[in-house]
Amino acid sequence: MRPIIERIMVYVDGSEQSVTAVEYALCLARATGASLCALYVVNTRALDELVKANIFLRTEQEEYARDIDADAQRYLNLVKEMARGKGMPVDTVCRKGSVHQEIAAMSRERGIDLLVIGELSRVHSRRDELYDDTERAMRMSGCSVLIVKDDDRVSSMFEEMV
């Protein structure tokens, strides 16, 4: 019988919740012997919508896109440092597109067994729930999804991990 979890993917979006998810994913990968990949998605769909709504001009969109690309690299470098500090390998990937579609595509392409995401933000309306990218990714994922909660416990586990 093959192991239950061989390939884990953690979604990183720069939020505190996603950093906690990275800590948990590293602990889980260590405990199970699974490979770990971290995915950051630059949400180009949202950028396009801001231009269409005349919130951004094209030139502003390009500048903002460069800033988001830099953020993506900064957070993926943080993930690499966290993994290196625990002697763990991690594959980091940055993609561009619609968040939920890129997460689903990457899960399929890599044969991911478990998607790890940070705690979902509070939903204030049904509309918010429909448009929350992480929520949509969770619902559309073809693999099991683990939502990480309890920041203090996870941070403690991560700090104790040798």
Side-chain angles (χ1 to χ4, degrees), residues 8 10 20-30 36 88 116 148:
I8 300 170
V10 60
T20 301
V22 170
E23 290 177 336
Y24 194 92
L26 284 163
C27 292
L28 190 58
R30 166 74 52 82
L36 177 62
M88 301 276 304
V116 177
V148 178

Side-chain angles (χ1 to χ4, degrees), residues 36-78:
L36 177 62
C37 107
L39 173 66
Y40 190 107
V41 179
V42 175
N43 191 346
T44 57
R45 185 183 62 108
L47 281 174
D48 291 340
E49 288 175 6
L50 291 171
V51 170
K52 286 178 189 171
N54 293 321
I55 294 171
F56 277 162
L57 301 172
R58 281 275 171 219
T59 54
E60 291 174 317
Q61 179 189 22
E62 292 166 8
E63 183 179 332
Y64 190 67
R66 280 192 300 276
D67 290 345
I68 292 174
D69 288 342
D71 282 348
Q73 285 311 305
R74 187 172 53 251
Y75 283 107
L76 290 175
N77 287 337
L78 172 64

